[in-house]
Amino acid sequence: MTTWPHRIPFDLHKELEAHTIDGWQGALRAWAKTLGLKLKIQSWRQLEITIADPHSRRYMAKPKGHWAAIKEWLERHEVPAPDKLPGWPEVDSVTNY
């Protein structure tokens, strides 16, 4: 078991960007299903409240803001991180001429 990274996993970031209709809940469920994570739905309400807080301040939360709340919730409920999370693609280096 590894620890959850501070940076949002690439695949979750893409899920959050893609799920505009059902929002972060659909993205989190889809992401958890692909990784085989077992989420404790009984404690889902606290995560909803935490994520709703930035939205109550009248600005759109970004995926990294959602990740901070999700990461804290995963750790609090002792959901183990998979051994290998998909990483971010490498940026091509710029060649100086």
Side-chain angles (χ1 to χ4, degrees), residues 60-82:
M60 286 297 294
K62 303 288 184 202
K64 67 180 183 177
H66 286 122
W67 172 243
I70 292 168
K71 177 182 181 292
E72 179 184 322
W73 183 81
L74 290 168
E75 290 171 346
R76 186 177 324 122
H77 294 286
E78 299 176 357
V79 176

Side-chain angles (χ1 to χ4, degrees), residues 22-37:
D22 53 356
W24 65 268
Q25 295 99 335
L28 180 57
R29 286 185 182 113
W31 178 70
K33 186 176 180 180
T34 61
L35 292 175
L37 298 177

Side-chain angles (χ1 to χ4, degrees), residues 38-52:
K38 306 240 188 265
L39 302 180
K40 298 176 183 177
I41 302 302
Q42 315 82 289
S43 55
W44 195 263
R45 183 69 185 136
Q46 184 58 44
L47 181 57
E48 289 176 334
I49 292 168
T50 304
I51 288 183

